Amino acid sequence: MRRLLLSFIVLVTFGVGAYSSPPDSLSWLRRTVRGFSKIDTSYVEPQHYNFAAMVQLTHTYDIYQLKSSNGQSITLAPSPTMKVGPYFGWRWIFAGYTIDLHNLGGSSTSKQEWDLSIYAAQIGVDLFYRRTGNDYKIRDINLGKEVPSEFTDPLEGLEFDGLSVGITGFNIYYIFNHQRFSYPAAFAQSTCQKISCGSWLAGIGYTRNSLEFDHEKLQRMVERYSTIPSAEIDSGLMFNSVKYLDYSLTGGYAYNWVFARNWLFCASASLGLGYKRVRGDADAERQKWFRFSNINFDGIARLGLVYNNKKWYGGASAVFHGYTYRKPRFSANNAFGNLNIYVGFNFGERSAYKDKK
């Protein structure tokens, strides 16, 4: 299936040339906007070109684990999604058209994915919208101590269309050492980190989650394929729908390691303290806004390996999101993300750098 993917990446290194003094009413705004792209050029090399073109291969993954309080669990994940396509960038805008390699024949699917990341010197933003469809497979199942794993092995690898997950949300984070540490150097290829450096991060996040689960269908599969027909799904997993909101405060650290000329490796991790609030629950007691039992931990990790000589660049990057949801009867763990492999080049050298030659 063909999809149109739009990615807007803030290229923070496009400086502003000489200009006449604006009115006082605009001066503060101008300085504030310029401050978001202010960098220490002894640590970070700005972008020398106006345009960029590249080809990128994107691998998308998703995994979900449901677990009851009595120890039963099931891990579900769809087949990997692979997309490839060209991208073109000008200044702050980077857009591309990708083709889903698993649906070249135009087969229909209810899966929808939309991700957008903004990397500026001072701030970063992640926006995501996902509807997973119902093409999950059983990757692992545990029916408790009474049922040894060899009796449930026949279930592993079977298709299970009884799960559907929806995730919509955003993360906004502030980069404290933004003048010397460059996130765009690792994930937007718009600057070059010259000297190894790191920075602390802090941010906020919001996520809206929905989970539809057909436990009766799972029970029928257990009765049909396990070698113990009497095995039953625990009551903790007998739910049809869960919808909740997640509000989180995050903190973490990122480091750019310049291990060779024009080479960079970035590792970043943030841990979030998330508060989950159930939506659509008619029980007044469970509608209380704050309960300590609703606090869980979320996480975001980023990895990037880049070669960039200012003209040509290539590498790989990965972004991982992890969320937990825990209630007395059951818990849910969800992880999703993208792995990108790309190669490209910059062109249309900026006049400011032509004049220095």
Coordinates of all heavy atoms in Angstrom, one line a residue, residues 42-80:
S42 N 32.2 26.2 17.9 CA 33.4 25.4 18.2 C 33.0 24.0 18.5 O 33.8 23.1 18.5 CB 34.1 26.0 19.4 OG 33.4 26.0 20.6
Y43 N 31.7 23.7 18.8 CA 31.2 22.4 19.1 C 30.3 21.9 18.0 O 30.3 20.7 17.7 CB 30.4 22.4 20.4 CG 31.2 22.3 21.7 CD1 31.9 23.4 22.2 CD2 31.4 21.1 22.4 CE1 32.7 23.3 23.3 CE2 32.1 21.0 23.5 CZ 32.8 22.1 24.0 OH 33.5 22.0 25.1
V44 N 29.6 22.8 17.3 CA 28.6 22.4 16.3 C 28.8 23.2 15.0 O 28.9 24.4 15.1 CB 27.2 22.6 16.8 CG1 26.2 22.1 15.8 CG2 26.9 21.8 18.1
E45 N 28.9 22.5 13.9 CA 29.1 23.1 12.6 C 27.7 23.3 12.0 O 26.9 22.4 11.8 CB 29.9 22.2 11.7 CG 30.2 22.8 10.3 CD 31.1 24.0 10.4 OE1 31.9 24.1 11.4 OE2 31.1 24.8 9.4
P46 N 27.3 24.6 11.6 CA 26.0 24.8 11.0 C 25.9 24.2 9.6 O 26.9 23.8 9.0 CB 26.0 26.3 10.9 CG 27.0 26.8 11.9 CD 28.1 25.8 11.8
Q47 N 24.7 24.2 9.1 CA 24.4 23.7 7.8 C 25.0 24.6 6.8 O 24.8 25.9 6.9 CB 22.9 23.5 7.6 CG 22.4 23.1 6.2 CD 22.9 21.7 5.8 OE1 24.1 21.6 5.5 NE2 22.0 20.7 5.9
H48 N 25.6 24.1 5.7 CA 26.2 24.9 4.7 C 25.3 25.0 3.4 O 25.7 25.7 2.5 CB 27.6 24.4 4.3 CG 28.6 24.6 5.3 ND1 29.9 24.5 5.1 CD2 28.5 24.8 6.7 CE1 30.6 24.7 6.2 NE2 29.8 24.9 7.2
Y49 N 24.2 24.3 3.4 CA 23.4 24.2 2.1 C 21.9 24.5 2.4 O 21.4 24.3 3.5 CB 23.6 22.8 1.5 CG 25.0 22.4 1.1 CD1 25.9 21.9 2.1 CD2 25.5 22.7 -0.1 CE1 27.2 21.6 1.7 CE2 26.8 22.4 -0.5 CZ 27.6 21.8 0.4 OH 28.9 21.5 0.1
N50 N 21.2 24.8 1.4 CA 19.8 25.1 1.5 C 18.9 23.9 1.2 O 17.8 23.9 1.7 CB 19.4 26.2 0.5 CG 19.9 27.6 0.9 OD1 19.8 28.0 2.1 ND2 20.4 28.3 0.0
F51 N 19.4 23.0 0.4 CA 18.6 21.8 0.0 C 19.2 20.5 0.4 O 20.5 20.4 0.5 CB 18.3 21.9 -1.5 CG 17.7 23.2 -2.0 CD1 18.6 24.2 -2.5 CD2 16.4 23.4 -1.9 CE1 18.0 25.4 -3.0 CE2 15.8 24.6 -2.4 CZ 16.6 25.6 -2.9
A52 N 18.4 19.5 0.5 CA 18.8 18.1 0.8 C 17.9 17.1 0.1 O 16.7 17.3 -0.1 CB 18.9 17.9 2.3
A53 N 18.5 16.0 -0.3 CA 17.8 14.9 -0.9 C 18.3 13.6 -0.4 O 19.5 13.5 -0.1 CB 17.9 14.9 -2.4
M54 N 17.4 12.6 -0.1 CA 17.9 11.3 0.4 C 16.9 10.3 0.1 O 15.7 10.5 -0.3 CB 18.1 11.4 1.9 CG 16.9 11.5 2.8 SD 17.3 11.4 4.5 CE 15.7 11.3 5.3
V55 N 17.3 9.0 0.3 CA 16.5 7.8 0.2 C 16.5 7.2 1.6 O 17.6 7.0 2.1 CB 16.9 6.9 -0.9 CG1 16.1 5.6 -0.9 CG2 16.9 7.5 -2.3
Q56 N 15.3 6.8 2.1 CA 15.2 6.2 3.4 C 14.4 5.0 3.4 O 13.4 4.9 2.8 CB 14.6 7.3 4.4 CG 14.5 6.7 5.8 CD 14.1 7.8 6.8 OE1 14.9 8.7 7.1 NE2 12.8 7.9 7.2
L57 N 14.9 4.0 4.2 CA 14.2 2.7 4.4 C 13.7 2.8 5.9 O 14.5 3.0 6.8 CB 15.1 1.5 4.2 CG 14.5 0.2 4.5 CD1 13.4 -0.2 3.4 CD2 15.6 -0.9 4.5
T58 N 12.4 2.6 6.1 CA 11.9 2.7 7.5 C 11.3 1.4 7.9 O 10.4 0.8 7.2 CB 10.8 3.8 7.5 OG1 11.4 5.0 7.2 CG2 10.2 3.9 8.9
H59 N 11.7 0.9 9.0 CA 11.1 -0.4 9.6 C 10.3 0.1 10.8 O 10.8 0.7 11.7 CB 12.2 -1.3 10.0 CG 11.8 -2.5 10.8 ND1 11.2 -3.6 10.3 CD2 11.8 -2.7 12.2 CE1 10.9 -4.4 11.3 NE2 11.3 -3.9 12.4
T60 N 9.0 -0.3 10.8 CA 8.2 0.0 12.0 C 7.8 -1.2 12.7 O 7.5 -2.3 12.1 CB 6.9 0.7 11.4 OG1 7.2 1.9 10.7 CG2 6.0 1.1 12.6
Y61 N 7.8 -1.1 14.0 CA 7.5 -2.3 14.9 C 6.5 -1.9 16.0 O 6.4 -0.8 16.4 CB 8.8 -2.9 15.4 CG 9.3 -2.2 16.6 CD1 9.0 -2.6 17.9 CD2 10.1 -1.1 16.5 CE1 9.4 -1.9 19.0 CE2 10.6 -0.4 17.5 CZ 10.2 -0.8 18.8 OH 10.7 0.0 19.9
D62 N 5.9 -2.9 16.5 CA 4.9 -2.7 17.6 C 4.8 -4.0 18.4 O 4.7 -5.1 17.8 CB 3.6 -2.3 17.1 CG 2.5 -2.1 18.1 OD1 2.8 -1.5 19.1 OD2 1.4 -2.6 17.9
I63 N 4.8 -4.0 19.7 CA 4.6 -5.2 20.5 C 3.8 -4.9 21.7 O 3.9 -3.8 22.3 CB 6.0 -5.8 20.9 CG1 5.9 -7.1 21.6 CG2 6.8 -4.8 21.8 CD1 7.2 -7.8 21.8
Y64 N 2.9 -5.8 22.1 CA 2.0 -5.6 23.2 C 2.0 -6.8 24.1 O 1.9 -7.9 23.6 CB 0.6 -5.3 22.7 CG -0.1 -4.2 23.4 CD1 -0.2 -2.9 22.7 CD2 -0.6 -4.3 24.6 CE1 -0.8 -1.9 23.4 CE2 -1.3 -3.2 25.3 CZ -1.3 -2.0 24.6 OH -2.0 -1.0 25.2
Q65 N 2.0 -6.6 25.4 CA 2.0 -7.7 26.4 C 0.8 -7.4 27.4 O 0.8 -6.3 28.0 CB 3.3 -7.9 27.1 CG 3.2 -9.1 28.1 CD 4.4 -9.1 29.0 OE1 4.7 -8.2 29.8 NE2 5.2 -10.3 28.9
L66 N 0.0 -8.4 27.5 CA -1.1 -8.3 28.5 C -0.8 -9.4 29.6 O -0.4 -10.5 29.3 CB -2.5 -8.6 27.9 CG -2.9 -7.7 26.7 CD1 -4.2 -8.2 26.1 CD2 -3.0 -6.3 27.2
K67 N -1.0 -9.0 30.9 CA -0.7 -9.9 32.0 C -1.7 -9.8 33.1 O -2.1 -8.7 33.5 CB 0.7 -9.6 32.5 CG 1.2 -10.6 33.5 CD 2.7 -10.3 33.9 CE 3.2 -11.4 34.9 NZ 4.6 -11.1 35.2
S68 N -2.2 -10.9 33.6 CA -3.2 -10.9 34.7 C -2.4 -11.0 36.0 O -1.2 -11.3 36.1 CB -4.1 -12.1 34.6 OG -3.4 -13.3 34.9
S69 N -3.2 -10.7 37.1 CA -2.6 -10.7 38.4 C -2.2 -12.1 38.9 O -1.4 -12.2 39.8 CB -3.5 -10.0 39.4 OG -4.8 -10.8 39.4
N70 N -2.7 -13.1 38.2 CA -2.4 -14.5 38.6 C -1.3 -15.1 37.8 O -1.0 -16.3 37.9 CB -3.7 -15.4 38.4 CG -4.8 -15.0 39.4 OD1 -4.5 -14.6 40.5 ND2 -6.0 -15.2 39.0
G71 N -0.6 -14.3 36.9 CA 0.6 -14.7 36.2 C 0.4 -15.1 34.8 O 1.4 -15.4 34.1
Q72 N -0.9 -15.2 34.3 CA -1.0 -15.5 32.9 C -0.6 -14.3 32.1 O -0.8 -13.1 32.5 CB -2.5 -15.8 32.6 CG -2.9 -17.2 33.1 CD -4.3 -17.6 32.6 OE1 -4.9 -16.9 31.8 NE2 -4.7 -18.8 33.0
S73 N -0.1 -14.5 30.9 CA 0.3 -13.4 30.0 C 0.3 -13.8 28.6 O 0.4 -15.0 28.2 CB 1.7 -12.9 30.4 OG 2.7 -13.9 30.1
I74 N 0.1 -12.9 27.7 CA 0.2 -13.1 26.2 C 0.9 -11.9 25.6 O 0.6 -10.7 25.9 CB -1.2 -13.3 25.6 CG1 -1.1 -13.5 24.1 CG2 -2.1 -12.1 26.0 CD1 -2.4 -13.9 23.5
T75 N 1.9 -12.2 24.7 CA 2.6 -11.2 24.0 C 2.2 -11.3 22.5 O 2.3 -12.3 21.9 CB 4.1 -11.4 24.2 OG1 4.5 -11.4 25.6 CG2 4.9 -10.3 23.4
L76 N 1.8 -10.1 22.0 CA 1.3 -10.0 20.6 C 2.1 -9.0 19.8 O 2.5 -7.9 20.4 CB -0.1 -9.7 20.6 CG -1.1 -10.6 21.3 CD1 -2.3 -9.9 21.8 CD2 -1.5 -11.8 20.4
A77 N 2.4 -9.3 18.6 CA 3.1 -8.4 17.7 C 2.8 -8.6 16.3 O 2.7 -9.8 15.9 CB 4.6 -8.5 17.9
P78 N 2.6 -7.6 15.5 CA 2.3 -7.8 14.0 C 3.6 -8.1 13.3 O 4.7 -8.0 13.8 CB 1.7 -6.5 13.6 CG 2.3 -5.5 14.5 CD 2.5 -6.2 15.8
S79 N 3.4 -8.5 12.0 CA 4.6 -8.7 11.1 C 5.2 -7.3 10.9 O 4.5 -6.3 10.9 CB 4.1 -9.3 9.8 OG 3.6 -10.6 10.0
P80 N 6.5 -7.3 10.7 CA 7.2 -6.0 10.5 C 6.7 -5.3 9.3 O 6.3 -5.9 8.3 CB 8.7 -6.4 10.3 CG 8.8 -7.8 10.9 CD 7.5 -8.4 10.7

